[in-house]
């Protein structure tokens, strides 16, 4: 396997003398039904804040993803969340900052001096295929890109095909997929480089992987049949 096949962003202009400006496309995610939000309402009155907040501020960071889900506000099918006393606030189709502004408007009808902080706690991605630690990962940030996802999964194995990374994304019209080439510097301008909640990243194997697996299978079969042949010869000899 050549060294070139394992290099990311293969561009001869990337050196110390000639800096290359890399512009990436930032996509603001629009909230959808079944997303889960953590809503913190800040007021000078601690009792009022505690009443509206499902999770205490002091223990929030100690919660597991499951606890964050149970203690958050899930966006219902009609696109809204249901806040205590305040009622339903429509947030589907909004960005996180827009949802925060919309919720604050609703809250200030009851608490004029309240400030609202909204975070998404259901930002999850799946990384599969030729990586060292496949699985799903929660993103505690508003953005994540493909390189960060691979870093979370322990990077690609030597048999990962850097030229064929599949991104699967659920859209309003169904599941869509895109092939990305990590060796191509233009990857940063792809809308799929920036990951969205529930994206799936699949690293395809290189041909060498299949060849090695086939060779391993062949060697195993050779050992098995060799052992059988030895037993047969031994039985014939003893008889």
């Amino acid at each position: 396997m050549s060294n070139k096949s394992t290099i990311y962003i293969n561009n001869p202009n990337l050196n110390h003398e000639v800096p290359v400006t890399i512009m990436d496309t930032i996509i603001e995610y629009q909230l959808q039904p079944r997303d889960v939000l953590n809503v913190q309402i800040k007021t000078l009155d601690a009792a009022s804040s505690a009443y509206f907040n499902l999770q205490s501020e002091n223990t929030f960071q100690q919660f597991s993803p499951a606890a964050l889900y149970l203690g958050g506000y899930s966006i219902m099918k009609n696109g809204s969340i249901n806040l205590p006393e305040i009622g339903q606030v429509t947030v589907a189709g909004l960005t996180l900052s827009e949802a925060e502004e919309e919720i604050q408007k609703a809250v200030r009808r009851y608490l004029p001096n309240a400030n609202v902080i909204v975070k998404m706690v259901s930002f999850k991605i799946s990384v599969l295929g030729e990586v060292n630690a496949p699985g799903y990962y929660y993103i505690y940030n508003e953005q994540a890109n493909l390189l960060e996802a691979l870093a979370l999964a322990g990077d690609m194995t030597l048999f990962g095909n850097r030229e064929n990374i599949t991104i699967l994304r659920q859209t309003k019209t169904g599941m869509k997929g895109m092939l990305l080439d990590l060796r191509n510097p233009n990857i940063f301008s792809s809308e799929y480089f920036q990951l969205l909640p529930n994206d799936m990243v699949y690293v395809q194997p290189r041909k060498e992987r299949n060849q090695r697996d086939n060779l391993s299978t062949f060697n195993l079969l050779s050992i098995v049949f060799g052992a059988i042949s030895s037993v047969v010869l031994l039985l014939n000899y003893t008889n």
Side-chain angles (χ1 to χ4, degrees), residues 210-223:
N210 295 329
Q211 292 171 353
R212 192 193 72 164
D213 291 344
N214 291 337
L215 182 60
S216 299
T217 302
F218 175 78
N219 290 337
L220 178 61
L221 290 175
S222 298
I223 293 172

Side-chain angles (χ1 to χ4, degrees), residues 28 32 50 63 69 74 87 98 101 115 157 205 238:
E28 287 200 80
Q32 301 176 15
F63 287 168
Y69 172 80
S74 181
E98 290 171 342
E101 184 178 346
N115 287 318
T157 68
T238 54

Side-chain angles (χ1 to χ4, degrees), residues 3-21:
N3 183 48
K4 290 183 178 180
S5 65
T6 61
I7 295 176
Y8 294 171
I9 320 302
N10 188 17
N11 186 342
N13 291 326
L14 290 174
N15 55 53
H16 295 291
E17 288 76 28
V18 185
V20 175
T21 301

Side-chain angles (χ1 to χ4, degrees), residues 9-82:
I9 320 302
N10 188 17
N11 186 342
N13 291 326
L14 290 174
N15 55 53
H16 295 291
E17 288 76 28
V18 185
V20 175
T21 301
I22 299 174
M23 300 296 293
D24 55 358
T25 303
I26 304 298
I27 301 175
E28 287 200 80
Y29 176 69
Q30 294 180 332
L31 297 171
Q32 301 176 15
R34 295 190 296 179
D35 285 341
V36 181
L37 303 178
N38 174 263
V39 179
Q40 292 290 318
I41 299 174
K42 311 289 185 179
T43 67
L44 294 177
D45 182 1
S48 297
S49 296
Y51 176 77
F52 284 99
N53 297 328
L54 295 182
Q55 298 162 332
S56 75
E57 187 176 346
N58 295 330
T59 59
F60 174 72
Q61 294 182 347
Q62 301 176 7
F63 287 168
S64 65
L68 291 175
Y69 172 80
L70 294 174
Y73 292 97
S74 181
I75 300 178
M76 299 179 289
K77 289 182 179 180
N78 64 2
S80 66
I81 59 173
N82 194 15

Side-chain angles (χ1 to χ4, degrees), residues 17-238:
E17 288 76 28
V18 185
V20 175
T21 301
I22 299 174
M23 300 296 293
D24 55 358
T25 303
I26 304 298
I27 301 175
E28 287 200 80
Y29 176 69
Q30 294 180 332
L31 297 171
Q32 301 176 15
R34 295 190 296 179
D35 285 341
V36 181
L37 303 178
N38 174 263
V39 179
Q40 292 290 318
I41 299 174
K42 311 289 185 179
T43 67
L44 294 177
D45 182 1
S48 297
S49 296
Y51 176 77
F52 284 99
N53 297 328
L54 295 182
Q55 298 162 332
S56 75
E57 187 176 346
N58 295 330
T59 59
F60 174 72
Q61 294 182 347
Q62 301 176 7
F63 287 168
S64 65
L68 291 175
Y69 172 80
L70 294 174
Y73 292 97
S74 181
I75 300 178
M76 299 179 289
K77 289 182 179 180
N78 64 2
S80 66
I81 59 173
N82 194 15
L83 296 173
E85 298 295 333
I86 295 171
Q88 295 188 9
V89 181
T90 301
V91 295
L94 303 179
T95 65
L96 202 58
S97 59
E98 290 171 342
E100 187 175 82
E101 184 178 346
E102 196 68 22
I103 294 171
Q104 182 151 297
K105 288 179 183 177
V107 169
R108 284 188 171 177
R109 291 199 295 266
Y110 298 86
L111 301 170
N113 297 318
N115 287 318
V116 174
I117 300 174
V118 179
K119 301 293 182 183
M120 186 173 180
V121 297
S122 58
F123 193 156
K124 182 183 68 175
I125 58 174
S126 302
V127 188
L128 307 170
E130 286 294 331
V131 292
N132 289 298
Y136 64 84
Y137 296 90
Y138 282 89
I139 306 297
Y140 298 106
N141 200 344
E142 294 183 12
Q143 297 172 353
N145 61 48
L146 176 57
L147 294 178
E148 291 171 324
L150 294 175
L152 286 172
D155 203 0
M156 280 186 273
T157 68
L158 289 177
F159 293 101
N161 191 339
R162 273 86 178 149
E163 300 175 30
N164 284 296
I165 310 295
T166 304
I167 309 295
L168 296 176
R169 176 169 297 168
Q170 183 66 45
T171 68
K172 294 179 181 179
T173 57
M175 186 72 73
K176 291 186 177 180
M178 176 67 70
L179 283 177
L180 297 183
D181 182 356
L182 268 180
R183 300 179 67 242
N184 187 347
N186 293 329
I187 188 176
F188 294 102
S189 62
S190 171
E191 64 176 298
Y192 281 79
F193 178 73
Q194 292 291 337
L195 300 180
L196 298 180
N198 301 314
D199 276 359
M200 289 182 282
V201 179
Y202 173 63
V203 179
Q204 298 184 22
R206 296 181 59 82
K207 292 181 180 180
E208 290 87 343
R209 175 73 175 194
N210 295 329
Q211 292 171 353
R212 192 193 72 164
D213 291 344
N214 291 337
L215 182 60
S216 299
T217 302
F218 175 78
N219 290 337
L220 178 61
L221 290 175
S222 298
I223 293 172
V224 171
F225 285 116
I228 294 174
S229 299
S230 299
V231 171
V232 172
L233 288 174
L234 180 62
L235 291 174
N236 290 335
Y237 178 79
T238 54

